[in-house]
Amino acid sequence: IKTIGVLTSGGDAPGMNAAVRAVVRTGIYYGLKVMGIRKGYAGLLNGDMEEMTLRSVGDIIHRGGTILQTARSAEFNSEAGVKKAISIAKVFGLDALIVIGGDGSYRGARDLANQGFPVICIPGTIDNDIASTEYTIGFDTALNTVQDAIDKIRDTAYSHERCSVLEVMGRHAGYIALNVAISGGAEAVILPEKEFDIDRDIIKPIIEGRNRGKKHYLVIIAEGVGGAVEIAKYIEEKTDIKTRATILGHIQRGGSPTVYDRVMASRMGAYAVKLLKEGKINRVIALQKGVITDFDINEALQMKKTIDEEMVELNKILAL
Ligand code: F6P
């Protein structure tokens, strides 16, 4: 392998730039040519790429978003699109592709791999919902962004003795919601992975908390459940506590990556290039028990991830 391409795909995540930087610099260190592909698979299909130098990734490690930009491509979702992408990759002399993204991006990479084009995937999404890895780049930054918002919301909730309902991102997964429920001291958290009953899981802890002397309340709703505005209205009706809903939205995707995300992205980016250097292809990078490792891409996409029941229980105890 002499020339590699790198792209970011799907939703952007803070730390993607640090991963691109690591791929480019490690690649050049090992004597490889690295092509930066703009706008994900759509850019690959358009041949939208250029050679990266040590300097083209200077001054990006601290920046959120992705300098390569990202997109979702309908054309790439077909066998003809995948074959076209491979022929364009070959025109540009690419021998392998490093894809930084989430589940959908992994499936695109798997299609390339199964059509004979070598790939490596790096997990990048704020949702932390990729089954093969305990950690995805961007998760820690998003958690800290949400926590910052919670601290601000608590100030005003305390002042007015109100209940705050906060809806956080995560698509179909509740990892962001569960973690910020614990870090933010929420009275209740509603996750898409767990069936729930609004009276039992939200109203009851709020009323019991009020009876024990609580003056303000925080309820976290995962985006995969949704309905924060309606839930807020219901809480107000049932408890007579003034309740306000906040849907945090895309603020959670932006911002300068935390140290953890920068370091993780740098390690995973370098690891991806080393795999290719050793002739290993069609692998996904993963964090397992604190160690960076790799799996076959087809196997990785069969894996399942569950929510941590101990953390769900912990939140209930700490919310007392
Ligand atoms: O996957 C990251 C994510 O921010 C999810 O949490 C959310 O469901 C989705 O992307 C939003 O996508 P878009 O930016 O296309 O609205």
Side-chain angles (χ1 to χ4, degrees):
I1 286 175
K2 292 194 171 62
T3 303
I4 59 174
V6 58
L7 62 80
T8 51
S9 166
D12 62 339
M16 279 184 163
N17 283 327
V20 170
R21 172 178 177 270
V23 167
V24 170
R25 293 211 171 149
T26 311
I28 292 171
Y29 176 81
Y30 285 128
L32 301 172
K33 182 172 165 184
V34 186
M35 300 291 285
I37 301 161
R38 276 180 289 268
K39 299 186 184 165
Y41 295 118
L44 178 59
L45 283 165
N46 293 330
D48 187 0
M49 62 184 91
E50 66 182 13
E51 185 173 354
M52 307 288 277
T53 66
L54 293 172
R55 293 279 54 84
S56 48
V57 291
D59 206 26
I60 66 167
I61 195 166
H62 61 295
R63 282 169 59 185
T66 160
I67 58 155
L68 291 177
Q69 298 187 286
T70 180
R72 294 183 173 110
S73 164
E75 188 184 357
F76 187 74
N77 279 336
S78 66
E79 196 179 321
V82 172
K83 285 189 173 151
K84 183 177 163 194
I86 293 175
S87 63
I88 288 170
K90 286 185 178 155
V91 168
F92 283 88
L94 301 186
D95 302 311
L97 182 65
I98 295 180
V99 172
I100 306 165
D103 241 4
S105 314
Y106 274 38
R107 285 193 291 276
R110 185 235 3 236
D111 294 344
L112 287 170
N114 293 346
Q115 293 285 343
F117 193 81
V119 295
I120 303 282
C121 289
I122 298 175
T125 162
I126 63 163
D127 302 337
N128 202 26
D129 61 346
I130 299 181
S132 49
T133 183
E134 287 166 5
Y135 191 78
T136 62
I137 296 162
F139 183 55
D140 186 59
T141 306
L143 292 179
N144 280 283
T145 301
V146 179
Q147 187 52 54
D148 183 52
I150 288 175
D151 292 346
K152 291 182 168 121
I153 284 170
R154 283 184 82 105
D155 287 345
T156 164
Y158 167 81
S159 303
H160 289 263
E161 297 199 354
R162 279 177 177 164
C163 173
S164 303
V165 177
L166 184 68
E167 185 174 312
V168 300
M169 274 188 170
R171 202 178 295 267
H172 307 299
Y175 302 105
I176 294 179
L178 181 56
N179 278 273
V180 299
I182 290 175
S183 68
E187 271 61 44
V189 57
I190 303 298
L191 307 169
E193 292 87 350
K194 304 224 41 108
E195 57 82 38
F196 74 98
D197 177 280
I198 190 161
D199 291 310
R200 180 195 65 201
D201 299 324
I202 299 182
I203 305 298
K204 192 165 169 267
I206 289 177
I207 291 175
E208 287 176 357
R210 179 170 57 188
N211 293 343
R212 284 193 302 273
K214 284 197 181 186
K215 299 266 189 245
H216 61 105
Y217 314 84
L218 175 65
V219 175
I220 303 287
I221 310 288
E223 173 189 31
V225 176
V229 173
E230 292 74 28
I231 291 172
K233 277 195 195 126
Y234 188 77
I235 294 171
E236 192 163 310
E237 269 165 36
K238 282 276 186 167
T239 63
D240 220 18
I241 297 167
K242 280 260 173 298
T243 303
R244 295 287 186 265
T246 305
I247 299 171
L248 267 191
H250 285 80
I251 195 169
Q252 296 162 96
R253 283 246 294 270
S256 183
T258 58
V259 170
Y260 189 80
D261 273 326
R262 296 182 200 197
V263 173
M264 198 51 76
S266 301
R267 292 174 66 198
M268 287 182 168
Y271 190 105
V273 176
K274 278 190 207 149
L275 283 181
L276 289 175
K277 191 68 193 145
E278 290 161 10
K280 294 187 185 141
I281 59 167
N282 305 338
R283 313 289 294 172
V284 301
I285 316 295
L287 186 76
Q288 289 293 345
K289 299 192 165 70
V291 176
I292 294 181
T293 183
D294 54 282
F295 297 106
D296 171 77
I297 188 163
N298 282 293
E299 283 171 23
L301 282 165
Q302 300 298 321
M303 295 179 185
K304 296 267 176 283
K305 196 172 188 175
T306 53
I307 204 90
D308 186 336
E309 293 294 339
E310 274 182 34
M311 287 202 14
V312 174
E313 278 315 298
L314 176 66
N315 190 60
K316 286 188 186 147
I317 295 168
L318 299 184
L320 285 176

